Amino acid sequence: MSAASCLRSEDQFLCSICLDVFTDPVSTPCGHNFCKNCINEHWNSNDQYLCPMCKKVFYTRPELHINTLFSEVVSQFRQEAQQKASSSSSEQQAAKPGEVPCDVCTGTKLKALKSCLVCLTSYCETHLEPHLTALGLKRHQLMDPVENLEDRMCMKHDKPLELFCKTDQTCVCMLCSVLDHKTHEFVPLKEEYEGKKAELGKTEAEIQEMIQTRQLKIEEIKHSVDLSKEAADREKAEGVQVFTALKESVERGKKTLINSINKKKKKTEKQAEDFIKELEQEISELKKRSSEVEKLSHSEDHLHLLQNVPFLKAAQPTKDWTEVSVRPSYEGTVVKAVAQLEETLSKQMKKLLEAKLKRVQHYAVDVTLDPNTAHPNLILSDDGKQVYCGDVTKKLPDNPERFSPSACVLGKQSLSSCRFYFEVQVKEKTDWDLGVARESINRKGNITLRPQNGYWTIWLRNQNEYKALASPSLRLSLKSCPQKVGVFVDYEEGLVSFYDVDAAALIYSFTGCSFTEKLYPYFNPCPNDVGKNSAPLIICPVNQTV
């Protein structure tokens, strides 16, 4: 029997009650066949005796007869079906771990192809055939195989979850929509599925965008690590070079110091040796004179004594040794050597600061003043590069960004990551404030310049009094008065540094700062003090040839 003929004849051997191949088929008086057990149970559970197929009513319970010929044909069909199932089972794959097994297979469980939401059963290819061919089973809802089919049934009404309640955002069965969710809005699961699937597509696109953003951030961080490594290698090489030079300078200084001390020591020893030699010669001569004096003193020859006494006195040593001394002079030798070392260190330090300033100047930005933040007394140049304090208060809108009554102004440019640098000429000024401020600073009323208030600044007062406005303020001792001040910010590092540009010297650094919002350049030219402080603060182009 071919597969096609088998499929065509299979409907003829299915009981219309159990929808399975006949077992002990019997015929009713109207000529229809049923499983013996199925028709008996059907009549036992109903008040009338009617045929399930043609609906013919029997007033007395009919006597059922076994259809011998049909029973043999069914038996033959069952046998062929079992052989076919056995052959098909050998070709199909057994369910692997993680795959849904067929619920009907006995022995080796084959891989399920579909699950039935009506039968709540999963079927392999062989056991799925009735659902593909039998009229009654074709109406069942099939889906890709899933486990725990019971979860797809309503726990309350034991019906398939076929609807979606938009009001409660939950899946319900048909009875739920009538009994428990009467006034709610419902849509078929498929319709909600399509909507949610579209949302998931959008969500997936957003997730992919987030993934891409984070992957780019990873690349950025990796690049930062590479830059950090290069910077660390450069700093180490520079540091090794500097300390090697210092070590060599120290060794040279040490050698020079020892040689100088040894030279002075030898000179002192030679001087002492010469003195001792000269003194020993005089002692030898004096001993000789002493012997002659003693001999002459014992002479009784009057003439001889008187004639020789003048010669003995004239021949005596006349050098006065009272003030003669040997004093080794080592004082200041070490101090001089250390001073030379300090000078060398100062030169190396200057080179380092010059190199540091060159590096930060690479982060120069074009800063211009923001007139919307300027106090009404401030006068800004047309190009936004200069500011000084005038005597007339202009009539300007008192917008939230504007400082009042403090005569301050911010730059237009902001920073929320990375680094930036700018330079300001402070030449001929007696008072000024410079630095950076966070976006949320209080711009109205009296202002206290402190990091906790959002200001990282330094100032000049009375022409030569410099302070870093930290907590507490720190007076700065500078070797020279800066004519041009460089301001450098490393946002990620939490660093704000101020430089004397012409001297290539570090004025002060705020370290360990925690920045959480945008930073803006901050300027205060201070009152003109009857013309004494009338010079403007000038934002200068950065010259990177220090």
Side-chain angles (χ1 to χ4, degrees):
M1 182 182 296
S2 67
S5 63
C6 178
L7 289 173
R8 284 196 299 271
S9 62
E10 186 173 355
D11 287 350
Q12 304 169 15
F13 303 105
L14 296 180
C15 171
S16 61
I17 297 176
C18 68
L19 301 177
D20 204 350
V21 179
F22 288 106
T23 302
D24 296 332
V26 293
S27 298
T28 59
C30 57
H32 292 111
N33 297 308
F34 303 95
C35 296
K36 183 179 180 180
N37 187 51
C38 288
I39 190 63
N40 281 326
E41 286 188 0
H42 178 71
W43 284 341
N44 290 338
S45 60
N46 288 279
D47 296 335
Q48 291 181 319
Y49 305 119
L50 77 163
C51 174
M53 291 290 288
C54 66
K55 308 302 180 183
K56 179 178 178 61
V57 178
F58 304 103
Y59 297 101
T60 60
R61 185 164 184 152
E63 185 178 349
L64 299 173
H65 299 281
I66 295 176
N67 190 330
T68 307
L69 178 60
F70 184 67
S71 180
E72 290 178 357
V73 173
V74 169
S75 178
Q76 183 180 358
F77 173 80
R78 185 186 294 276
Q79 193 174 26
E80 290 174 354
Q82 288 176 348
Q83 290 175 354
K84 181 183 176 184
S86 176
S87 175
S88 177
S89 297
S90 63
E91 295 175 1
Q92 295 181 60
Q93 294 181 349
K96 298 177 182 177
E99 295 179 337
V100 178
C102 175
D103 293 326
V104 181
C105 287
T106 59
T108 301
K109 295 284 187 179
L110 300 181
K111 177 183 176 181
L113 294 184
K114 294 288 181 180
S115 295
C116 177
L117 292 178
V118 178
C119 303
L120 297 181
T121 305
S122 297
Y123 298 101
C124 64
E125 182 180 357
T126 300
H127 294 119
L128 181 64
E129 282 192 18
H131 279 74
L132 302 177
T133 57
L135 292 176
L137 296 176
K138 280 183 178 181
R139 293 191 296 270
H140 291 191
Q141 187 176 352
L142 297 177
M143 63 178 297
D144 290 336
V146 293
E147 295 181 336
N148 303 322
L149 283 166
E150 296 81 2
D151 295 342
R152 297 176 178 270
M153 299 294 289
C154 176
M155 300 289 291
K156 187 173 183 180
H157 303 113
D158 199 27
K159 296 292 183 182
L161 299 171
E162 301 178 88
L163 300 174
F164 183 79
C165 176
K166 296 180 75 68
T167 306
D168 292 342
Q169 292 291 301
T170 185
C171 298
V172 296
C173 69
M174 295 297 293
L175 286 177
C176 287
S177 66
V178 176
L179 300 176
D180 303 324
H181 301 255
K182 291 181 181 179
T183 60
H184 294 183
E185 181 183 357
F186 299 94
V187 293
L189 284 184
K190 185 176 181 181
E191 181 179 332
E192 186 66 20
Y193 162 82
E194 295 295 339
K196 286 291 190 288
K197 191 172 182 180
E199 289 181 13
L200 287 176
K202 184 179 178 181
T203 301
E204 173 64 14
E206 291 174 353
I207 291 173
Q208 290 301 323
E209 184 178 354
M210 292 171 68
I211 290 172
Q212 186 176 6
T213 302
R214 281 151 180 78
Q215 286 176 336
L216 290 174
K217 181 56 70 174
I218 289 173
E219 294 303 317
E220 179 185 328
I221 292 172
K222 286 182 178 179
H223 181 62
S224 298
V225 171
D226 292 338
L227 292 178
S228 174
K229 183 178 181 300
E230 292 174 6
D233 291 341
R234 183 174 61 249
E235 288 291 324
K236 283 193 290 186
E238 188 176 295
V240 168
Q241 182 180 356
V242 169
F243 277 95
T244 299
L246 288 175
K247 182 180 177 182
E248 291 174 354
S249 179
V250 169
E251 289 297 327
R252 285 196 303 271
K254 175 184 173 184
K255 186 176 181 180
T256 302
L257 173 65
I258 292 173
N259 288 339
S260 176
I261 292 173
N262 286 337
K263 188 175 180 180
K264 288 184 178 182
K265 176 188 171 188
K266 287 182 180 179
K267 182 179 178 181
T268 301
E269 290 174 348
K270 179 68 169 58
Q271 186 182 35
E273 184 180 339
D274 291 343
F275 284 157
I276 291 171
K277 186 176 181 181
E278 187 177 352
L279 286 167
E280 286 178 343
Q281 287 178 350
E282 289 188 1
I283 289 171
S284 176
E285 290 178 6
L286 287 171
K287 285 183 177 179
K288 183 178 179 182
R289 298 291 183 201
S290 175
S291 176
E292 290 177 357
V293 168
E294 184 181 0
K295 182 179 178 182
L296 188 61
S297 66
H298 288 90
S299 174
E300 294 182 359
D301 185 344
H302 302 157
L303 180 63
H304 177 72
L305 185 146
L306 292 173
Q307 288 177 336
N308 286 284
V309 166
F311 294 106
L312 287 176
K313 287 184 178 181
Q316 289 182 14
T318 58
K319 185 173 182 177
D320 184 5
W321 288 92
T322 306
E323 301 298 327
V324 176
S325 64
V326 177
R327 295 189 181 91
S329 178
Y330 300 112
E331 293 297 329
T333 307
V334 176
V335 173
K336 183 179 179 181
V338 173
Q340 290 176 343
L341 182 61
E342 185 180 10
E343 182 180 353
T344 302
L345 179 60
S346 178
K347 290 178 180 179
Q348 290 292 339
M349 196 66 182
K350 184 174 178 59
K351 288 181 181 179
L352 285 175
L353 287 172
E354 288 175 351
K356 176 66 175 177
L357 184 56
K358 283 183 181 179
R359 284 199 293 272
V360 301
Q361 284 177 331
H362 287 298
Y363 300 102
V365 294
D366 185 17
V367 173
T368 53
L369 301 169
D370 185 356
N372 291 326
T373 66
H375 184 273
N377 275 61
L378 295 183
I379 299 175
L380 278 60
S381 62
D382 293 338
D383 62 0
K385 295 292 185 179
Q386 300 186 28
V387 59
Y388 66 94
C389 192
D391 296 322
V392 178
T393 302
K394 298 187 292 293
K395 292 183 179 181
L396 297 173
D398 189 21
N399 50 290
E401 296 86 5
R402 193 177 305 284
F403 285 94
S404 177
S406 296
C408 312
V409 61
L410 297 181
K412 288 183 179 179
Q413 292 69 25
S414 66
L415 177 78
S416 58
S417 63
C418 301
R419 306 173 179 91
F420 75 73
Y421 174 84
F422 61 95
E423 292 179 353
V424 182
Q425 180 179 302
V426 295
K427 186 178 180 181
E428 298 178 358
K429 290 194 67 63
T430 60
D431 302 87
W432 50 258
D433 304 346
L434 280 178
V436 293
R438 66 182 178 218
E439 187 174 30
S440 64
I441 52 172
N442 177 28
R443 308 182 191 197
K444 308 297 181 182
N446 293 325
I447 292 175
T448 302
L449 300 178
R450 294 287 184 273
Q452 59 265 36
N453 296 333
Y455 296 89
W456 291 266
T457 58
I458 62 172
W459 77 13
L460 167 67
R461 294 292 184 269
N462 303 321
Q463 202 166 3
N464 59 6
E465 296 176 7
Y466 295 91
K467 274 189 179 181
L469 303 177
S471 298
S473 297
L474 178 67
R475 183 154 188 170
L476 303 174
S477 298
L478 306 183
K479 292 182 178 180
S480 60
C481 295
Q483 302 297 297
K484 189 186 294 182
V485 175
V487 182
F488 173 67
V489 177
D490 188 329
Y491 195 95
E492 305 295 339
E493 188 70 21
L495 173 72
V496 181
S497 294
F498 299 86
Y499 292 90
D500 180 341
V501 177
D502 297 324
L506 178 66
I507 297 174
Y508 184 77
S509 286
F510 292 91
T511 59
C513 308
S514 179
F515 303 130
T516 57
E517 54 185 273
K518 291 180 181 179
L519 299 178
Y520 289 85
Y522 169 85
F523 308 85
N524 184 348
C526 296
N528 61 27
D529 192 17
V530 196
K532 294 180 182 179
N533 190 41
S534 59
L537 290 174
I538 304 174
I539 302 171
C540 307
V542 176
N543 180 9
Q544 300 181 9
T545 58
V546 176

